[in-house]
């Protein structure tokens, strides 16, 4: 089975994340969305709430599972028997950051990573930007998938 693992904090899960998932679906038999739990990172939503919302959003898509994890991504990938890690890239800055992780992940586990570039109209959308807007009382609904 060709299984992809799409990981992130997803705090919140944006229309950019959804775009990557939908574009990756034809490439894989199964996709696991891994909601990363990082105790050092202050999150707007609990991991349980993020998992619940993403599961509900993809409830009609049998090829998608959603799980939280708190260990290294490569350990999670091995445990889930993922054949690839899926990463979305918005900019050169994202690419450089992700490339370093990819090199280490491949060295330690042999798991390959594929990059899907953000659609141009979504390249400025990030979870941190959405959290910032919400913090200042702005409506963030246009940046979240409908039904999330």
């Amino acid at each position: 089975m060709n299984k992809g693992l799409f990981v992130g904090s997803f705090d919140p899960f944006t229309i950019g994340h959804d775009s990557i998932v939908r574009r990756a679906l034809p490439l894989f038999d199964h996709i696991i969305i891994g909601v990363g739990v990082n105790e050092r990172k202050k999150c707007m939503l609990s991991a349980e709430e993020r998992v619940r919302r993403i599961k509900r959003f993809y409830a009609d898509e049998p090829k998608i599972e959603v799980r939280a994890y708190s260990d290294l991504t490569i350990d999670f990938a091995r445990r889930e028997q993922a054949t690839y890690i899926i990463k979305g890239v918005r900019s050169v800055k994202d690419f450089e950051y992700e490339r370093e992780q990819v090199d280490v992940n491949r060295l330690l586990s042999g798991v390959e990573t594929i990059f899907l570039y953000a659609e141009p109209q979504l390249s400025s959308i990030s979870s941190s930007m959405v959290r910032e807007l919400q913090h200042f009382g702005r409506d963030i609904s246009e940046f979240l998938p409908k039904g999330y």
Side-chain angles (χ1 to χ4, degrees):
M1 176 183 276
N2 191 16
K3 191 183 289 188
L5 178 64
F6 182 48
V7 295
S9 60
F10 305 125
D11 184 43
F13 191 82
T14 70
I15 55 177
H17 296 130
D18 179 50
S19 170
I20 298 295
V21 170
R22 300 225 182 255
R23 291 169 43 220
L25 270 173
L27 305 174
F28 296 96
D29 300 316
H30 193 78
I31 293 178
I32 296 171
I33 298 174
V35 176
V37 178
N38 182 343
E39 299 301 326
R40 293 171 291 182
K41 193 172 185 180
K42 182 161 175 38
C43 290
M44 182 175 76
L45 300 170
S46 70
E48 295 79 20
E49 180 64 15
R50 287 177 275 155
V51 167
R52 187 186 69 72
R53 287 182 181 198
I54 298 168
K55 275 184 179 179
R56 184 183 66 214
F57 182 68
Y58 289 112
D60 294 333
E61 180 49 68
K63 289 174 58 172
I64 294 177
E65 280 183 72
V66 184
R67 299 186 187 185
Y69 74 102
S70 58
D71 52 345
L72 290 173
T73 296
I74 55 170
D75 294 333
F76 183 54
R78 264 196 233 133
R79 193 167 55 253
E80 296 297 330
Q81 299 177 330
T83 46
Y84 291 92
I85 296 170
I86 304 162
K87 288 289 193 165
V89 177
R90 293 170 298 160
S91 65
V92 171
K93 182 179 163 187
D94 279 357
F95 178 80
E96 285 301 321
Y97 172 77
E98 297 295 350
R99 186 187 57 77
E100 291 174 6
Q101 288 187 343
V102 167
D103 290 344
V104 171
N105 287 346
R106 189 181 325 105
L107 178 70
L108 296 176
S109 72
V111 175
E112 290 288 347
T113 299
I114 65 163
F115 290 123
L116 292 176
Y117 288 91
E119 295 176 85
Q121 70 274 21
L122 303 177
S123 64
S124 296
I125 299 170
S126 68
S127 291
S128 57
M129 181 268 303
V130 173
R131 283 193 310 273
E132 182 81 359
L133 290 172
Q134 186 174 43
H135 174 77
F136 287 101
R138 292 301 183 101
D139 178 17
I140 60 170
S141 60
E142 72 181 280
F143 303 112
L144 305 178
K146 302 273 185 265
Y148 174 79

